[in-house]
Amino acid sequence: MKTNTKITGKDLINLGYRQGKWMQEALVYINENQLQGDALQSYLEQYKLPDPLPLHKTPVDFSINIKAENELEEDNVSKVINSMQTLMKTPTLVNGAIMPDACPTGPNGTIPVGGVAVAKNAIHPGMHSADICCSVMLTDLGKVNPKDVLDAAHANTHFGPGGRDRNTQFRFPKELLEAFENNYFLKDQQMILAARAHLGTQGDGNHFLFVGTSKKTGNTMMVTHHGSRGPGARLYTKGMKIAERFREILSPETLKQNAWIPFDTVEGQDYWQALQTIRQWTKTNHEVIHNSVSESLEIAIENRYWNEHNFVFKEGDLFYHAKGATPLDAKFMPDITGPRLIPLNMSEPVLIVDGATTKTNLGFAPHGAGRNVSRTQHRKSKTGSIMQIFKEETRGLDVRFFSKEIDITELPSAYKNAQTVRNQMEEYGLGNVIDEVLPYGCIMAGDWQKNAPWRVKREKRRRNKS
């Protein structure tokens, strides 16, 4: 490099440094101080990046707590195992497991639903997915008519897109607001507006409000299933962008969906704290719905417990990423108040379980029944009218769709055989069933898109043209 010549970004790249935002500030300092030789190398040492981390040559071993019992399941299990083998080449991963409800989602190498991936000193946003802290909560309401509870719940809950209008919003707790305002990832105004509006809402898809009776006590119990709604989705998007920046520097070979945020960075610390705040928001989201039902019926709450199944759990320097896996081990839940909940489908009991950690379950159980085929495949496989299918599969149950439109892809036949899941839970040591909530009925979003405003407008334009 010639003396007294202005040093450029190209010169630094030729010296082996990677282009980045740091270069502009560094070049100003270098040229103002006319750094050369050893002085230049000494200054640039602070910007030297570690060598990129390669993928593991062979997948890290993981436990397979699932087996195929028919041809349809063989295809599903094969895809799950193949995706998990690709995933387990990610440099940060040290252990993993798949559960009996496992099903593939996304391209090969994406953590499957029913998957657990254990990383060292790294948080992988793609491994907890956009529905951060998707979870279930149970409230024991004692000896009360299940229909009264379902009616009250129908009047108080909210399913479908968007949030509540200002007149029907629940009070946003002051301590939660402060937690949002004090976190880098959560403090923007749009995030806080979503957190206010979506409190007391359940979204769509497989989210539900289930009412039934305890097999042991006969008490009426209400179970809700939903996640962190808009706030969680926004945090996931931000987290993936930060993780991608680190991936480009630390491990370009790693699949984009498996990018990570190093825990020992400022970003890692802030993201971890953001996850805890979103967890508390989601728990509060369940609570306001449950409390509103008990208050409207003027009945006391006898018991309550909850658990998440889309989250990241920390033990020392290990981060357990559960994508649709229920934590059995109490060490994963700082606010544990009871056993865990595993719903299967609307016609089956919600299982109340406890259990011990083993080498193969890593402290987790299934989160439900899972699917063998996609929604589209299931819809194509059904014959008869939607109403016929609905009546046949929900006979004896009070099943309601908030949008007033039936979604047949949420009926029992859309899911894996519940008894198969229960049998494999027992076979692989994935929790002990200590009680069951026998189904009375449930509420789900339904096919809200059928009459969505954008669809109605599009259909109206089409008719006007014809």
Side-chain angles (χ1 to χ4, degrees), residues 140 142-144 146 212-221 435-436:
D140 185 338
K143 297 295 191 294
V144 59
T213 54
S214 163
K215 188 175 182 179
K216 271 190 174 181
T217 67
N219 284 2
T220 295
M221 295 175 166
D435 195 4
E436 302 177 22

Side-chain angles (χ1 to χ4, degrees), residues 2-65:
K2 294 180 180 179
T3 57
N4 300 322
T5 300
K6 186 175 181 180
I7 293 175
T8 66
K10 187 176 181 180
D11 294 324
L12 298 186
I13 291 171
N14 289 337
L15 286 171
Y17 292 90
R18 295 184 212 170
Q19 191 170 0
K21 293 180 179 179
W22 64 275
M23 271 194 180
Q24 185 175 1
E25 182 180 338
L27 287 169
V28 170
Y29 184 87
I30 289 167
N31 289 309
E32 283 183 352
N33 292 277
Q34 298 183 355
L35 298 184
Q36 299 174 21
D38 291 343
L40 176 62
Q41 292 291 352
S42 178
Y43 173 76
L44 288 174
E45 192 67 28
Q46 64 185 303
Y47 299 111
K48 191 174 182 179
L49 296 173
D51 292 333
L53 290 171
L55 297 175
H56 295 308
K57 291 183 179 179
T58 57
V60 171
D61 289 341
F62 60 96
S63 299
I64 300 174
N65 302 297

Side-chain angles (χ1 to χ4, degrees), residues 131-137 224-228 272 275-276 278-280 282-283 286 305-314 320 322-330 332-336 339-342 363-367:
D131 197 12
I132 300 173
C133 201
C134 191
S135 44
V136 278
M137 178 175 283
T224 49
H225 170 225
H226 56 260
S228 50
W272 176 250
L275 286 174
Q276 309 318 303
I278 288 294
R279 181 181 188 272
Q280 185 57 51
T282 308
K283 184 180 181 182
H286 284 282
Y305 34 91
W306 86 302
N307 60 260
E308 62 271 69
H309 48 234
N310 268 20
F311 205 60
V312 186
F313 305 88
K314 183 177 182 295
Y320 292 72
K323 171 73 177 296
T326 299
L328 283 177
D329 200 317
F332 294 133
M333 297 187 66
D335 52 359
I336 185 170
R340 315 304 182 273
L341 304 165
I342 302 178
F364 291 86
H367 86 306

Side-chain angles (χ1 to χ4, degrees), residues 77-345:
V77 172
S78 176
K79 288 177 180 175
V80 165
I81 292 174
N82 287 342
S83 195
M84 203 62 186
Q85 286 174 334
T86 304
L87 172 83
M88 296 306 293
K89 290 183 178 181
T90 305
T92 57
L93 298 187
V94 296
N95 207 343
I98 48 178
M99 300 291 149
D101 58 339
C103 49
T105 178
N108 183 48
T110 303
I111 187 171
V113 174
V116 178
V118 186
K120 190 166 186 177
N121 275 325
I123 305 172
H124 295 256
M127 295 186 194
H128 60 55
S129 82
D131 197 12
I132 300 173
C133 201
C134 191
S135 44
V136 278
M137 178 175 283
L138 178 149
T139 294
D140 185 338
L141 297 165
K143 297 295 191 294
V144 59
N145 187 335
K147 183 180 185 305
D148 292 341
V149 174
L150 196 63
D151 287 344
H154 203 156
N156 282 278
T157 191
H158 178 291
F159 281 93
R164 293 175 178 268
D165 60 47
R166 291 183 65 86
N167 295 325
T168 60
Q169 287 179 11
F170 289 95
R171 186 186 70 83
F172 196 64
K174 182 182 177 183
E175 60 275 15
L176 258 184
L177 176 60
E178 291 175 350
F180 272 77
E181 291 175 336
N182 291 324
N183 183 271
Y184 168 79
F185 287 96
L186 305 177
K187 64 184 180 180
D188 70 85
Q189 197 57 36
Q190 290 303 310
M191 175 75 81
I192 292 173
L193 285 173
R196 288 184 182 277
H198 288 200
L199 193 64
T201 71
Q202 296 191 251
D204 57 12
N206 66 351
H207 297 168
F208 63 75
L209 188 152
F210 177 103
V211 175
T213 54
S214 163
K215 188 175 182 179
K216 271 190 174 181
T217 67
N219 284 2
T220 295
M221 295 175 166
M222 186 175 95
V223 181
T224 49
H225 170 225
H226 56 260
S228 50
R229 304 285 288 112
R234 287 174 176 273
L235 175 60
Y236 165 78
T237 299
K238 292 182 178 184
M240 287 299 288
K241 287 179 180 177
I242 297 292
E244 175 59 16
R245 293 177 199 165
F246 280 108
R247 187 194 69 84
E248 290 174 346
I249 296 170
L250 300 177
S251 183
E253 288 185 5
T254 291
L255 296 174
K256 287 190 175 185
Q257 65 264 37
N258 297 330
W260 72 86
I261 305 174
F263 179 65
D264 57 2
T265 61
V266 172
E267 295 91 338
Q269 298 289 312
D270 284 345
Y271 193 75
W272 176 250
Q273 191 54 55
L275 286 174
Q276 309 318 303
T277 299
I278 288 294
R279 181 181 188 272
Q280 185 57 51
W281 182 93
T282 308
K283 184 180 181 182
T284 303
N285 190 19
H286 284 282
E287 288 173 337
V288 295
I289 296 171
H290 286 242
N291 291 345
S292 68
V293 172
S294 66
E295 289 166 8
S296 65
L297 293 174
E298 298 181 343
I299 52 177
I301 292 170
E302 297 198 5
N303 201 357
R304 174 177 290 167
Y305 34 91
W306 86 302
N307 60 260
E308 62 271 69
H309 48 234
N310 268 20
F311 205 60
V312 186
F313 305 88
K314 183 177 182 295
E315 182 187 25
D317 62 357
L318 297 181
F319 291 79
Y320 292 72
H321 298 75
K323 171 73 177 296
T326 299
L328 283 177
D329 200 317
K331 68 187 177 186
F332 294 133
M333 297 187 66
D335 52 359
I336 185 170
T337 57
R340 315 304 182 273
L341 304 165
I342 302 178
L344 296 168
N345 65 59

